[in-house]
Amino acid sequence: MAEDTADRTGRLKVAAIGDLHVRAEGQTSYRELFGEIAREADVLVLAGDLTDLGTAREAEILAEDLRACAIPVVGVLGNHDHESGTPEEVCRILRQTGMRLLDGQSVEIEGVGFVGVKGFVGGFGRFTLGSFGETAIKDLVAESQREAMRLENAMRHVASRRALVVLHYAPIAATVQGEPPEIFPFLGSSRLAETIDRFEVTAVVHGHAHRGSFEGRTPGGVPVYNVAIQIPKPNGRRYALLEL
Protein backbone atom coordinates (compact mmCIF):
# COMPACT_ATOMS: atom_id res chain seq x y z
CA MET A 1 0.00 0.00 0.00
CA ALA A 2 1.13 3.53 -0.72
CA GLU A 3 1.37 6.02 2.11
CA ASP A 4 -1.81 7.95 2.91
CA THR A 5 -2.08 11.04 0.72
CA ALA A 6 -4.55 13.83 0.07
CA ASP A 7 -4.65 16.46 -2.64
CA ARG A 8 -3.05 19.87 -2.15
CA THR A 9 -6.33 21.52 -1.16
CA GLY A 10 -6.50 19.31 1.93
CA ARG A 11 -9.63 17.62 0.63
CA LEU A 12 -9.57 13.83 0.63
CA LYS A 13 -11.01 12.07 -2.42
CA VAL A 14 -12.76 8.89 -1.35
CA ALA A 15 -13.99 6.21 -3.75
CA ALA A 16 -16.72 4.08 -2.17
CA ILE A 17 -18.25 0.85 -3.45
CA GLY A 18 -20.01 -2.13 -1.92
CA ASP A 19 -21.49 -5.53 -2.70
CA LEU A 20 -18.74 -6.89 -4.93
CA HIS A 21 -19.84 -10.47 -4.08
CA VAL A 22 -16.61 -12.08 -5.22
CA ARG A 23 -17.17 -15.77 -6.08
CA ALA A 24 -14.70 -18.61 -6.17
CA GLU A 25 -16.00 -19.80 -9.53
CA GLY A 26 -16.73 -16.32 -10.88
CA GLN A 27 -15.11 -14.72 -13.89
CA THR A 28 -15.29 -11.13 -12.61
CA SER A 29 -12.00 -9.45 -11.76
CA TYR A 30 -11.84 -6.09 -10.01
CA ARG A 31 -8.15 -5.55 -10.65
CA GLU A 32 -8.67 -2.98 -13.40
CA LEU A 33 -11.39 -1.20 -11.41
CA PHE A 34 -9.13 -0.95 -8.36
CA GLY A 35 -6.32 0.33 -10.54
CA GLU A 36 -8.61 3.04 -11.94
CA ILE A 37 -9.75 3.99 -8.44
CA ALA A 38 -6.14 4.29 -7.30
CA ARG A 39 -5.63 6.91 -10.02
CA GLU A 40 -8.83 8.83 -9.22
CA ALA A 41 -9.00 8.77 -5.42
CA ASP A 42 -6.89 8.97 -2.26
CA VAL A 43 -8.76 6.25 -0.33
CA LEU A 44 -10.92 3.29 -1.33
CA VAL A 45 -13.85 2.36 0.94
CA LEU A 46 -15.55 -1.05 0.64
CA ALA A 47 -19.05 -1.20 2.15
CA GLY A 48 -19.49 -4.91 2.85
CA ASP A 49 -20.54 -8.07 1.01
CA LEU A 50 -17.01 -8.25 -0.31
CA THR A 51 -17.43 -12.00 -0.88
CA ASP A 52 -20.51 -13.99 -1.87
CA LEU A 53 -20.35 -16.85 0.62
CA GLY A 54 -17.70 -15.69 3.07
CA THR A 55 -15.16 -18.37 2.13
CA ALA A 56 -11.40 -18.13 2.41
CA ARG A 57 -11.01 -18.78 -1.32
CA GLU A 58 -13.26 -15.85 -2.21
CA ALA A 59 -11.32 -13.61 0.17
CA GLU A 60 -8.04 -14.72 -1.43
CA ILE A 61 -9.33 -13.80 -4.90
CA LEU A 62 -10.37 -10.36 -3.70
CA ALA A 63 -7.07 -9.91 -1.87
CA GLU A 64 -5.17 -10.61 -5.07
CA ASP A 65 -7.20 -7.94 -6.92
CA LEU A 66 -6.72 -5.45 -4.07
CA ARG A 67 -2.97 -5.60 -4.59
CA ALA A 68 -3.57 -3.49 -7.71
CA CYS A 69 -4.90 -0.69 -5.49
CA ALA A 70 -1.99 1.53 -4.51
CA ILE A 71 -3.98 3.67 -2.06
CA PRO A 72 -5.27 2.96 1.46
CA VAL A 73 -8.30 0.66 1.63
CA VAL A 74 -10.86 0.81 4.44
CA GLY A 75 -13.98 -1.29 4.78
CA VAL A 76 -16.49 -3.37 6.71
CA LEU A 77 -17.89 -6.84 6.25
CA GLY A 78 -21.47 -7.54 5.15
CA ASN A 79 -23.94 -10.31 5.85
CA HIS A 80 -22.64 -12.43 2.93
CA ASP A 81 -19.16 -12.32 4.43
CA HIS A 82 -20.59 -14.13 7.48
CA GLU A 83 -22.38 -16.87 5.52
CA SER A 84 -19.75 -19.59 6.02
CA GLY A 85 -19.32 -18.79 9.70
CA THR A 86 -15.66 -17.75 9.32
CA PRO A 87 -15.64 -13.93 9.11
CA GLU A 88 -12.41 -13.88 11.13
CA GLU A 89 -10.64 -15.80 8.36
CA VAL A 90 -12.00 -13.44 5.71
CA CYS A 91 -10.69 -10.52 7.77
CA ARG A 92 -7.30 -12.15 8.27
CA ILE A 93 -6.79 -12.67 4.55
CA LEU A 94 -7.90 -9.18 3.55
CA ARG A 95 -5.86 -7.50 6.26
CA GLN A 96 -2.74 -9.12 4.80
CA THR A 97 -3.14 -6.70 1.87
CA GLY A 98 -2.99 -3.75 4.25
CA MET A 99 -6.75 -3.20 4.22
CA ARG A 100 -8.18 -1.65 7.39
CA LEU A 101 -11.26 -3.72 8.20
CA LEU A 102 -13.37 -1.89 10.76
CA ASP A 103 -15.73 -3.61 13.17
CA GLY A 104 -16.56 -1.04 15.78
CA GLN A 105 -13.30 0.86 15.33
CA SER A 106 -12.08 4.03 13.65
CA VAL A 107 -8.97 5.00 11.74
CA GLU A 108 -7.76 8.46 10.71
CA ILE A 109 -6.33 9.11 7.25
CA GLU A 110 -5.09 12.60 6.38
CA GLY A 111 -7.42 14.32 8.81
CA VAL A 112 -10.52 12.27 8.06
CA GLY A 113 -11.85 9.75 10.55
CA PHE A 114 -13.25 6.55 9.06
CA VAL A 115 -15.65 4.76 11.40
CA GLY A 116 -17.07 1.35 10.57
CA VAL A 117 -19.57 -1.26 11.72
CA LYS A 118 -21.60 -3.76 9.74
CA GLY A 119 -24.93 -2.59 11.13
CA PHE A 120 -27.98 -4.82 11.29
CA VAL A 121 -31.69 -5.13 10.53
CA GLY A 122 -34.65 -3.70 12.42
CA GLY A 123 -36.58 -1.29 10.20
CA PHE A 124 -36.98 2.44 9.95
CA GLY A 125 -38.82 5.25 11.71
CA ARG A 126 -42.10 4.35 13.33
CA PHE A 127 -41.84 0.89 11.78
CA THR A 128 -38.66 0.04 13.72
CA LEU A 129 -39.03 -3.31 15.43
CA GLY A 130 -39.38 -3.07 19.19
CA SER A 131 -38.13 -5.44 21.86
CA PHE A 132 -41.38 -7.20 22.77
CA GLY A 133 -42.68 -10.73 22.68
CA GLU A 134 -40.68 -13.83 21.93
CA THR A 135 -37.08 -14.23 22.98
CA ALA A 136 -36.05 -14.52 19.32
CA ILE A 137 -37.48 -11.05 18.59
CA LYS A 138 -35.79 -9.59 21.65
CA ASP A 139 -32.48 -11.15 20.59
CA LEU A 140 -32.79 -9.63 17.11
CA VAL A 141 -33.53 -6.16 18.51
CA ALA A 142 -30.68 -6.51 21.00
CA GLU A 143 -28.25 -7.22 18.14
CA SER A 144 -29.49 -4.14 16.29
CA GLN A 145 -28.98 -2.07 19.44
CA ARG A 146 -25.49 -3.52 19.97
CA GLU A 147 -24.41 -2.48 16.48
CA ALA A 148 -25.65 1.06 17.11
CA MET A 149 -23.81 1.12 20.44
CA ARG A 150 -20.61 -0.14 18.84
CA LEU A 151 -20.89 2.66 16.28
CA GLU A 152 -21.37 5.17 19.09
CA ASN A 153 -18.33 3.89 20.97
CA ALA A 154 -16.21 4.11 17.82
CA MET A 155 -17.41 7.66 17.10
CA ARG A 156 -16.27 8.75 20.56
CA HIS A 157 -12.69 8.00 19.53
CA VAL A 158 -12.74 10.21 16.42
CA ALA A 159 -10.66 13.36 16.92
CA SER A 160 -11.10 14.76 13.39
CA ARG A 161 -13.87 17.20 12.51
CA ARG A 162 -14.36 15.28 9.27
CA ALA A 163 -15.76 11.78 9.64
CA LEU A 164 -17.06 9.17 7.20
CA VAL A 165 -19.24 6.42 8.64
CA VAL A 166 -18.91 3.13 6.75
CA LEU A 167 -21.77 0.63 7.08
CA HIS A 168 -23.17 -2.33 5.21
CA TYR A 169 -26.79 -2.04 6.34
CA ALA A 170 -28.69 1.18 5.64
CA PRO A 171 -29.32 3.76 8.38
CA ILE A 172 -32.30 5.37 6.60
CA ALA A 173 -35.22 4.27 4.42
CA ALA A 174 -34.53 6.77 1.62
CA THR A 175 -31.56 4.84 0.23
CA VAL A 176 -33.42 1.51 0.13
CA GLN A 177 -36.28 2.97 -1.88
CA GLY A 178 -36.70 0.81 -4.98
CA GLU A 179 -36.53 -2.42 -3.03
CA PRO A 180 -39.81 -4.21 -2.20
CA PRO A 181 -41.31 -2.44 0.85
CA GLU A 182 -41.91 -5.84 2.43
CA ILE A 183 -38.16 -6.34 2.94
CA PHE A 184 -37.32 -2.85 4.24
CA PRO A 185 -37.01 -4.10 7.85
CA PHE A 186 -34.23 -6.47 6.69
CA LEU A 187 -32.21 -3.78 4.91
CA GLY A 188 -31.17 -1.66 7.85
CA SER A 189 -32.13 0.19 10.99
CA SER A 190 -32.93 3.74 12.06
CA ARG A 191 -30.99 3.06 15.24
CA LEU A 192 -27.82 3.65 13.21
CA ALA A 193 -29.06 7.07 12.04
CA GLU A 194 -30.00 8.03 15.59
CA THR A 195 -26.41 7.37 16.64
CA ILE A 196 -24.93 9.17 13.64
CA ASP A 197 -26.97 12.30 14.35
CA ARG A 198 -25.47 12.58 17.84
CA PHE A 199 -22.02 13.23 16.37
CA GLU A 200 -20.29 15.44 13.84
CA VAL A 201 -20.41 13.26 10.73
CA THR A 202 -19.58 14.46 7.23
CA ALA A 203 -21.17 11.61 5.28
CA VAL A 204 -22.28 7.97 5.48
CA VAL A 205 -21.85 5.18 2.93
CA HIS A 206 -23.50 1.76 2.90
CA GLY A 207 -24.44 -1.08 0.56
CA HIS A 208 -26.76 -4.10 0.87
CA ALA A 209 -29.78 -2.67 -1.00
CA HIS A 210 -28.96 -3.57 -4.61
CA ARG A 211 -32.14 -1.98 -5.97
CA GLY A 212 -32.19 1.00 -3.65
CA SER A 213 -31.49 4.67 -4.28
CA PHE A 214 -28.17 6.46 -4.31
CA GLU A 215 -28.69 9.37 -1.94
CA GLY A 216 -30.62 10.43 1.13
CA ARG A 217 -30.14 12.18 4.46
CA THR A 218 -30.48 11.26 8.10
CA PRO A 219 -33.14 13.13 10.12
CA GLY A 220 -30.29 15.37 11.28
CA GLY A 221 -29.26 16.18 7.70
CA VAL A 222 -26.15 14.02 7.26
CA PRO A 223 -25.74 12.88 3.61
CA VAL A 224 -26.10 9.11 3.13
CA TYR A 225 -24.98 7.27 -0.02
CA ASN A 226 -25.90 3.76 -1.10
CA VAL A 227 -22.70 2.73 -2.88
CA ALA A 228 -23.61 -0.85 -3.80
CA ILE A 229 -22.02 -1.58 -7.17
CA GLN A 230 -25.48 -2.33 -8.59
CA ILE A 231 -26.72 1.24 -7.88
CA PRO A 232 -26.30 3.81 -10.69
CA LYS A 233 -24.03 6.65 -9.59
CA PRO A 234 -24.34 10.28 -10.75
CA ASN A 235 -20.76 10.15 -12.08
CA GLY A 236 -21.61 7.21 -14.35
CA ARG A 237 -19.03 5.00 -12.66
CA ARG A 238 -19.49 1.86 -10.61
CA TYR A 239 -18.19 3.63 -7.52
CA ALA A 240 -19.11 6.88 -5.80
CA LEU A 241 -16.45 9.57 -5.57
CA LEU A 242 -16.74 11.82 -2.53
CA GLU A 243 -14.62 14.77 -1.43
CA LEU A 244 -14.27 15.12 2.34
Side-chain angles (χ1 to χ4, degrees), residues 20-48:
L20 301 178
H21 290 277
V22 171
R23 299 179 180 179
E25 72 284 358
Q27 300 300 314
T28 301
S29 171
Y30 293 105
R31 180 176 291 270
E32 289 188 9
L33 178 63
F34 293 153
E36 174 189 330
I37 287 172
R39 295 188 295 272
E40 298 291 330
D42 302 307
V43 179
L44 168 60
V45 167
L46 298 177

Side-chain angles (χ1 to χ4, degrees), residues 5 7 11-18 33-46 69 71-72 114 164 202-206 214-215 223-229 231-244:
T5 57
D7 66 26
R11 305 288 287 180
L12 198 71
K13 294 181 180 178
V14 177
I17 190 169
L33 178 63
F34 293 153
E36 174 189 330
I37 287 172
R39 295 188 295 272
E40 298 291 330
D42 302 307
V43 179
L44 168 60
V45 167
L46 298 177
C69 191
I71 57 175
F114 293 80
L164 179 70
T202 308
V204 181
V205 296
H206 73 85
F214 175 64
E215 186 174 358
V224 179
Y225 303 99
N226 180 350
V227 298
I229 194 171
I231 299 294
K233 315 296 190 301
N235 60 14
R237 303 179 184 184
R238 290 189 285 175
Y239 54 92
L241 196 57
L242 312 176
E243 286 200 12
L244 304 176

Side-chain angles (χ1 to χ4, degrees), residues 12-235:
L12 198 71
K13 294 181 180 178
V14 177
I17 190 169
D19 298 81
L20 301 178
H21 290 277
V22 171
R23 299 179 180 179
E25 72 284 358
Q27 300 300 314
T28 301
S29 171
Y30 293 105
R31 180 176 291 270
E32 289 188 9
L33 178 63
F34 293 153
E36 174 189 330
I37 287 172
R39 295 188 295 272
E40 298 291 330
D42 302 307
V43 179
L44 168 60
V45 167
L46 298 177
D49 279 2
L50 313 179
T51 63
D52 198 50
L53 296 174
T55 67
R57 180 57 188 146
E58 291 171 341
E60 288 167 355
I61 292 170
L62 177 58
E64 187 60 32
D65 285 349
L66 279 173
R67 291 189 173 92
C69 191
I71 57 175
V73 182
V74 177
V76 298
L77 297 187
N79 57 308
H80 277 250
D81 302 311
H82 284 74
E83 170 61 19
S84 294
T86 56
E88 298 85 1
E89 181 66 4
V90 172
C91 288
R92 184 190 68 79
I93 292 167
L94 294 178
R95 283 177 173 143
Q96 288 179 341
T97 70
M99 179 179 180
R100 283 101 155 193
L101 267 166
L102 304 177
D103 186 19
Q105 301 92 24
S106 65
V107 62
E108 184 171 320
I109 301 175
E110 291 295 329
V112 174
F114 293 80
V115 186
V117 297
K118 174 174 59 67
F120 199 53
V121 304
F124 306 100
R126 65 189 181 94
F127 300 108
T128 300
L129 185 64
S131 183
F132 183 88
E134 298 96 323
T135 298
I137 294 294
K138 292 176 180 176
D139 289 345
L140 186 152
V141 172
E143 179 64 18
S144 183
Q145 292 170 332
R146 276 193 294 270
E147 285 293 284
M149 182 59 68
R150 293 170 74 245
L151 175 59
E152 179 170 337
N153 290 339
M155 285 299 310
R156 293 188 185 280
H157 290 88
V158 176
S160 173
R161 298 194 61 173
R162 292 178 290 167
L164 179 70
V165 171
V166 184
L167 307 169
H168 180 61
Y169 287 88
I172 59 172
T175 49
V176 304
Q177 294 291 336
E179 295 280 4
E182 294 82 359
I183 69 170
F184 276 22
F186 307 104
L187 297 177
S189 169
S190 287
R191 292 184 174 94
L192 297 165
E194 291 168 4
T195 298
I196 289 163
D197 281 342
R198 287 199 289 271
F199 294 90
E200 190 168 355
V201 174
T202 308
V204 181
V205 296
H206 73 85
H208 194 46
H210 295 190
R211 291 182 286 179
S213 301
F214 175 64
E215 186 174 358
R217 288 183 178 268
T218 67
V222 177
V224 179
Y225 303 99
N226 180 350
V227 298
I229 194 171
Q230 299 83 2
I231 299 294
K233 315 296 190 301
N235 60 14

